[in-house]
Amino acid sequence: MVTTPTPGEGPVRPVSVSLHEGTIAALKERTGKRGMSAYVEALIQRQLERDRLRELIADAEAEHGPVDQQAVEAKRAILRGDPANSADAA
């Protein structure tokens, strides 16, 4: 059985994409000419992960209902190290 490589796996192949000149200039300034491919690869992988996460959240909300926003904020407070706002999260 042939499997399709997951993002970040498999051989590297050149592809053609169209970008605005200003975007290209900013990319070259940030990465140098030789680092552009790695930078763009990382950006695409991160976006694919975010898209998949959004899909998983939508599936979970469809099955279990929307998340409790107060609980989310309490958990964020814990992650930020703000114990005054995280009392409800425990």
Side-chain angles (χ1 to χ4, degrees), residues 20-41:
H20 294 279
E21 286 185 25
T23 303
I24 295 167
L27 182 60
K28 283 182 180 179
E29 183 177 318
R30 180 163 301 272
T31 66
K33 189 174 183 178
R34 308 274 302 149
M36 291 174 59
S37 291
Y39 192 85
V40 171
E41 171 80 15

Side-chain angles (χ1 to χ4, degrees), residues 37-54:
S37 291
Y39 192 85
V40 171
E41 171 80 15
L43 290 173
I44 292 170
Q45 285 184 32
R46 185 171 38 240
Q47 186 62 48
L48 290 169
E49 289 170 359
R50 288 178 177 183
D51 292 348
R52 182 64 183 133
L53 182 56
R54 271 192 223 99

